[in-house]
Amino acid sequence: MRKLAALAAVVTMSAGVLTACSGGDYCGDLKGYVDSSKNLDIKDSDAVGKMLDQAKKVSKSAPDDLKDDWKTVIDYAEKAQDAKGDTNKLVELAKNDGSKIQPAMEAITKQAKDTCKIDLPGAGNTN
């Protein structure tokens, strides 16, 4: 169960409250992604699907240096959605792909803070 909780934390780590956003379309799209991720239940494949749609939108406006990181997030979320709430599949996903998502989220979180002036919880932040 701890791995499932970790999976949920990783997928939603960028679901913090945004207080400011500058930097063009990327920051606006990032806000939409964060809003769609609030209170995300990783076992609800419909909710994961909505978050996934927003992640795809953000990936299109993301700076070039984050394109691969957003692809990692999208791939991970697609696998989580495909699990259809199956706890065993979600735990297996966390076990197999968890180490890939962490550095991607760290890069996204850093860019969000540096460019958009947004602090996203998780990924090493103390906020």
Side-chain angles (χ1 to χ4, degrees), residues 34-126:
V34 170
D35 289 345
S36 73
S37 301
K38 286 181 183 170
N39 302 315
L40 180 72
D41 179 357
I42 194 68
K43 293 171 77 176
D44 180 346
S45 62
D46 289 337
V48 172
K50 289 177 186 174
M51 181 273 301
L52 182 56
D53 289 342
Q54 288 296 319
K56 289 177 181 178
K57 183 178 178 181
V58 175
S59 74
K60 290 177 183 173
S61 64
D64 288 342
D65 61 329
L66 289 182
K67 295 284 187 190
D68 289 341
D69 296 310
W70 276 106
K71 182 178 180 337
T72 299
V73 169
I74 289 167
D75 290 347
Y76 195 81
E78 285 175 340
K79 290 176 185 177
Q81 184 182 30
D82 289 345
K84 299 186 187 311
D86 183 308
T87 302
N88 292 329
K89 290 180 181 178
L90 291 169
V91 168
E92 193 66 24
L93 174 61
K95 183 175 149 185
N96 293 335
D97 291 11
S99 63
K100 296 175 191 171
I101 192 78
Q102 185 66 28
M105 287 309 304
E106 287 173 358
I108 290 167
T109 298
K110 182 178 182 342
Q111 181 77 9
K113 183 173 184 164
D114 294 348
T115 301
C116 301
K117 308 302 181 217
I118 298 169
D119 286 322
L120 301 176
N125 282 347
T126 57

Side-chain angles (χ1 to χ4, degrees), residues 17-39:
V17 176
L18 304 179
T19 56
C21 192
S22 60
D25 291 337
Y26 176 68
C27 293
D29 292 344
L30 185 62
K31 182 181 180 344
Y33 167 76
V34 170
D35 289 345
S36 73
S37 301
K38 286 181 183 170
N39 302 315

